Amino acid sequence: MTVKIYIPKDAAAIACGADEVAAAFKKTAKKAAVKIDIVRNGSRGMLWLEPLVEVEHNGVRYGFGPVAEDDVQDLVKAGLLGEKGPKGIKHKLAVGPVEDIPFFKKQTRLTFARCGLADPVSLPDYKRLGGYKGLENALKLKPIEIVDVVSKSGLRGRGGAGFPTGIKWKTVHDTPPQQKYIVCNADEGDSGTFADRMIMEGDPFVLIEGMTIAGLAVGATRGYIYLRSEYPHAGMALNAAIQAAKKDGYLGDNVRGSGHTFELQVRMGAGAYVCGEETSLLESLEGKRGLVRAKPPLPAHKGLFGQPTVINNVLSLAAVPYIMEHGAQAYADYGVGRSRGTMPIQLAGNLKHGGLFETAFGITLGELVDDIGGGTLSGKPVKAVQVGGPLGAYFPRGYFDTPFDYEAFAARDGLIGHAGVVVFDETADMMAQARFAFEFCAVESCGKCTPCRIGSTRGVETLDKVRAGERPEANLAVVEDLCNTMKFGSLCALGGFTPYPVMSALTHFPEDFGRPAKKLAAAAE
Amino acid sequence: MGREPWSEPRTRQIVTEHKGLEGPLMPILHACVETFGFVPQEAVPVIANELNLSRAEVHGVVTFYHDFRREPAGKHVLKMCRAEACQSMGCEPLVKRAEDRLGIKCGETSADGRVTLEPIYCLGLCATAPSAMLDGKIVGRLNEAKLDKLLKGAGA
Ligand SMILES: Cc1cc2nc3c(=O)[nH]c(=O)nc-3n(C[C@H](O)[C@H](O)[C@H](O)COP(=O)(O)O)c2cc1C
Ligand code: SF4
């Protein structure tokens, strides 16, 4: 008998010791003379359990986590590799059948359907689990028909701005035939986000398939994945998957014998947050400083090397195979209002159950933090939640009824962004958070516009004066003024949105700035 | 990270290897850091010449990106995440601890040249925060004990 064991290769699992755990299992099994087959899978997304070791028995996968190197012997002694299987094992790390864990069960995993099931870079596994069906369907359609399906699905860009993906593709489709490009924005710079990383490490073929379909739809023969350099593990997975896809004719000059060409390359960023902004990213890909370009022209008309370019976030492109396989309506059936489909939400920070939770739009912030996330890890009350990365607003508990929906967040002066949710407990100092927002903007500004470049530095200085007790009211008025100038005088959202975290901190947590606390009723408005 | 001494022929070789790419400059600069450990000032005119760019253009790109260091780093590089998710889990006291241990400020290299301590804004390990990276090895759920072990491993 060979025992099948799954130990994730996801960076979060590795950072918590997955490689050491895998080595310990190998050693212990050898000693016990048990044959084991270790699969290094993607993560199931329940990151508080990582490294999550799964043992398969009669088709069910039983989980144990978080497993440390030192736990392995103990688990084996408890019978983990025994004839009777892992089912009845009583152990403090046993979590039962993994797919029955409420965090997992409550999800609607469309994009992440395969993530964690198998070896991420095995093309046979990808196909066995239903991969490349979307591409097969797309190959039977005319390009404009593919664009149409994506439009009807209601898919909006998952990188932050929420622009309809179908419209973007249509614009590039309509440009005359010439060298066109598909660029995948894998710069994922927002703190609190890791969904791009997880899908690239855990199911890289779904992104490759999505990009190939985009290429067919708009007539682009070349694609680039612009990957942040902080993600070396994702780079390795992508490159291995690209090689495998090439070898089997899924990439190259004759995709699946269709006569269509699609070549794909991974390019590394170099640690500049602003290069996540699409035009800055294109400059960087061209080998220049990542200065933001003025629009128009749109990248769809003049993008990479001046050619028509589709630039989409990882999750936007990775949603496409599902849509092409199951149809536009199947995707659009999920969600609320103008936010259709599912969103892979990332629960992070001071949270008991942090991880990746893919669900239809419409779930409330409170459900995410209190029910799914289980409240803070520290056990102290939640003070603030920042949604949407460093440019996102800080929401108080009073806003926990906000549904996860682009428009609902905007209506409360916030944004979904790339759907990162970072939870802070009552020890958070919101003036320090506001200061950090300015500081981050100052460090990462591309320097093109004055309000962003100078305003952010002035913001840091001014808040330091408030902290020092120097004419606090007058200086807070300066902060508000600066925010206004930045909001309306910046070319891109780095300068333009930094006021969100600053102003939300000031508005919802005035006591941290030395202003009188809000009355409870007002805070809960 | 590479520690090969800088040489002009090696630089030309790196450029030749990447010249066929569309937009070759970023891959070339990454390869320089990988090979030499940093982008030496002397490499700039060589690259500019090979790619038919002005020195100012290449210099501008090198200075724009955090990754293209212009000085060699210490023997070990410890990057500590200081972004919001790690803040919510108390990264700042840990950074302070590392600074005190090394006797430097974040962004500097210890006097004996052993350790460079740098901030990083997000490793994408935000549900297992705080996070750090020592010479490319990632570490999650960082605490004082783990940090001390990392510092010890780096010989600090
Ligand atoms: C400062 C800044 C950083 C950004 N970072 C990212 C990023 O890391 N990933 C991303 O997909 N989009 C990012 N964006 C949004 C992109 O500009 C762009 O909207 C996106 O790539 C479009 O793809 P989508 O329509 O699929 O979302 C950023 C925008 C700004 C202003
Ligand atoms: S707002 Fe800031 S980052 Fe954006 S273009 Fe202007 S200076 Fe550059």
Side-chain angles (χ1 to χ4, degrees):
Chain A
M1 185 187 89
T2 303
V3 183
K4 202 160 193 180
I5 304 181
Y6 295 85
I7 305 172
K9 198 160 56 174
D10 180 274
I14 290 177
C16 294
D19 287 347
E20 290 79 7
V21 169
F25 265 108
K26 249 187 222 152
K27 209 169 114 192
T28 313
K30 200 167 166 201
K31 236 196 234 156
V34 183
K35 272 206 209 111
I36 58 169
D37 173 16
I38 298 181
V39 178
R40 300 300 303 270
N41 56 332
S43 170
R44 297 279 204 154
M46 293 174 279
L47 296 174
W48 78 95
L49 290 175
E50 293 294 359
L52 173 68
V53 173
E54 294 175 76
V55 180
E56 194 172 283
H57 193 68
N58 295 335
V60 180
R61 284 161 63 161
Y62 296 85
F64 300 84
V67 177
E69 199 180 346
D70 301 341
D71 296 319
V72 173
Q73 266 200 339
D74 200 37
L75 281 166
V76 172
K77 217 188 277 166
L80 194 78
L81 306 178
E83 291 286 335
K84 280 191 261 166
K87 190 173 172 187
I89 293 182
K90 298 255 181 301
H91 192 280
K92 62 180 194 306
L93 298 179
V95 293
V98 164
E99 299 192 357
D100 291 345
I101 299 173
F103 188 101
F104 193 87
K105 220 174 175 159
K106 285 184 185 163
Q107 298 185 49
T108 304
R109 289 168 79 98
L110 308 185
T111 299
F112 277 78
R114 266 176 303 263
C115 189
L117 291 184
D119 175 359
V121 298
S122 156
L123 184 52
D125 280 345
Y126 183 65
K127 282 169 27 188
R128 176 173 59 81
L129 294 167
Y132 273 127
K133 292 215 174 102
L135 177 68
E136 300 300 341
N137 287 346
L139 282 169
K140 290 179 217 142
L141 300 179
K142 290 205 203 77
I144 191 65
E145 291 171 329
I146 304 175
V147 173
D148 226 42
V149 174
V150 172
S151 295
K152 289 208 174 97
S153 75
L155 177 66
R156 291 166 70 178
R158 302 300 190 222
F163 188 81
T165 306
I167 295 182
K168 198 181 270 190
W169 289 22
K170 175 82 167 43
T171 310
V172 179
H173 169 277
D174 290 350
T175 59
Q178 55 194 301
Q179 181 63 57
K180 303 181 189 179
Y181 293 97
I182 308 296
V183 173
C184 170
N185 188 340
D187 200 49
E188 198 167 58
D190 293 357
S191 175
T193 65
F194 45 80
D196 294 351
R197 178 185 65 65
M198 279 188 60
I199 204 77
M200 290 186 286
E201 291 173 358
D203 193 15
F205 288 112
V206 80
L207 173 59
I208 295 171
E209 182 180 352
M211 290 183 75
T212 311
I213 296 169
L216 290 176
V218 306
T221 54
R222 279 188 204 156
Y224 288 100
I225 299 171
Y226 185 90
L227 179 68
R228 65 201 300 259
S229 59
E230 293 84 351
Y231 283 0
H233 298 85
M236 285 184 272
L238 285 170
N239 279 316
I242 288 172
Q243 286 312 319
K246 257 191 201 158
K247 204 163 147 249
D248 263 28
Y250 283 92
L251 288 173
D253 54 16
N254 188 10
V255 174
R256 295 307 281 161
S258 66
H260 290 284
T261 299
F262 194 66
E263 316 269 2
L264 192 52
Q265 269 185 37
V266 179
R267 285 295 175 85
M268 279 290 183
Y273 177 76
V274 72
C275 287
E277 194 283 331
E278 56 188 11
T279 61
S280 162
L281 187 154
L282 294 173
E283 290 285 303
S284 181
L285 261 181
E286 292 180 9
K288 301 181 190 145
R289 296 162 70 87
L291 293 183
V292 173
R293 296 178 185 168
K295 283 186 263 188
L298 295 171
H301 290 126
K302 282 191 171 19
L304 188 60
F305 303 110
Q307 302 298 116
T309 302
V310 166
I311 175 161
N312 273 132
N313 172 252
V314 173
L315 298 179
S316 317
L317 291 160
V320 169
Y322 177 92
I323 293 166
M324 292 313 299
E325 182 186 350
H326 299 276
Q329 196 54 44
Y331 192 76
D333 280 345
Y334 295 101
V336 290
R338 287 175 48 224
S339 305
R340 308 312 314 176
T342 60
M343 188 75 205
I345 296 169
Q346 300 123 85
L347 301 174
N350 195 335
L351 207 55
K352 208 154 141 198
H353 295 160
L356 183 119
F357 190 85
E358 182 175 351
T359 188
F361 284 97
I363 190 169
T364 66
L365 185 58
E367 283 174 84
L368 284 168
V369 173
D370 290 336
D371 305 343
I372 310 293
T376 63
L377 181 63
S378 63
K380 294 179 178 140
V382 174
K383 178 166 181 175
V385 179
Q386 188 181 29
V387 181
L391 307 175
Y394 287 100
F395 277 7
R397 275 205 88 92
Y399 277 12
F400 269 21
D401 60 341
T402 317
F404 221 83
D405 161 84
Y406 292 101
E407 279 71 37
F409 266 70
R412 284 186 155 168
D413 277 331
L415 50 108
I416 288 182
H418 188 49
V421 176
V422 178
V423 178
F424 292 78
D425 74 11
E426 62 181 11
T427 60
D429 170 352
M430 299 313 292
M431 180 147 69
Q433 296 311 125
R435 184 190 188 278
F436 176 77
F438 276 133
E439 191 186 4
F440 186 75
C441 179
V443 172
E444 300 296 338
S445 168
C446 84
K448 198 157 177 166
C449 9
T450 318
C452 170
R453 192 182 67 235
I454 310 285
S456 52
T457 305
R458 284 272 285 132
V460 172
E461 294 162 3
T462 313
L463 279 178
D464 283 345
K465 286 185 195 158
V466 176
R467 171 81 72 201
E470 212 177 293
R471 299 191 307 128
E473 265 315 310
N475 275 312
L476 284 177
V478 172
V479 167
E480 285 167 356
D481 218 45
L482 275 171
C483 281
N484 239 334
T485 310
M486 288 174 70
K487 197 166 172 180
F488 298 106
S490 299
L491 186 57
C492 86
L494 182 50
F497 285 14
T498 292
Y500 278 106
V502 175
M503 287 310 297
S504 59
L506 183 54
T507 307
H508 302 304
F509 308 94
E511 64 280 13
D512 285 12
F513 295 77
R515 281 181 167 173
K518 266 192 166 179
K519 297 227 173 57
L520 265 182
E525 63 184 296
Chain B
M1 218 172 276
R3 291 294 144 145
E4 225 176 274
W6 182 79
S7 79
E8 189 177 320
R10 187 75 175 92
T11 309
R12 285 196 197 282
Q13 189 192 345
I14 289 173
V15 177
T16 311
E17 278 164 20
H18 295 90
K19 227 175 170 171
L21 298 174
E22 289 184 311
L25 186 52
M26 297 283 286
I28 287 170
L29 294 174
H30 272 303
C32 281
V33 175
E34 235 158 69
T35 311
F36 309 122
F38 67 114
V39 184
Q41 194 58 42
E42 306 93 294
V44 170
V46 180
I47 297 169
N49 177 275
E50 289 280 326
L51 295 183
N52 249 334
L53 296 169
S54 73
R55 282 178 195 203
E57 279 170 295
V58 177
H59 178 78
V61 174
V62 175
T63 51
F64 187 84
Y65 298 95
H66 299 296
D67 284 3
F68 301 141
R69 59 173 86 249
R70 286 181 292 154
E71 301 285 334
K75 191 154 176 273
H76 299 282
V77 179
L78 178 62
K79 298 187 184 193
M80 297 183 73
C81 180
R82 302 182 79 167
E84 290 90 338
C86 284
Q87 291 166 10
S88 78
M89 288 300 288
C91 66
E92 285 305 316
L94 291 172
V95 172
K96 177 82 177 44
R97 189 182 179 88
E99 288 179 335
D100 289 349
R101 283 292 166 97
L102 296 167
I104 52 173
K105 285 277 160 214
C106 198
E108 298 174 351
T109 301
S110 62
D112 60 7
R114 274 187 195 274
V115 187
T116 298
L117 180 66
E118 286 179 344
I120 191 162
Y121 292 103
C122 201
L123 287 160
L125 307 170
C126 317
T128 50
S131 324
M133 188 188 232
L134 178 65
D135 301 331
K137 187 175 160 40
I138 44 177
V139 182
R141 296 187 192 124
L142 194 69
N143 52 28
E144 291 188 354
K146 279 197 196 176
L147 175 63
D148 292 352
K149 214 170 128 189
L150 288 181
L151 289 170
K152 205 170 151 205

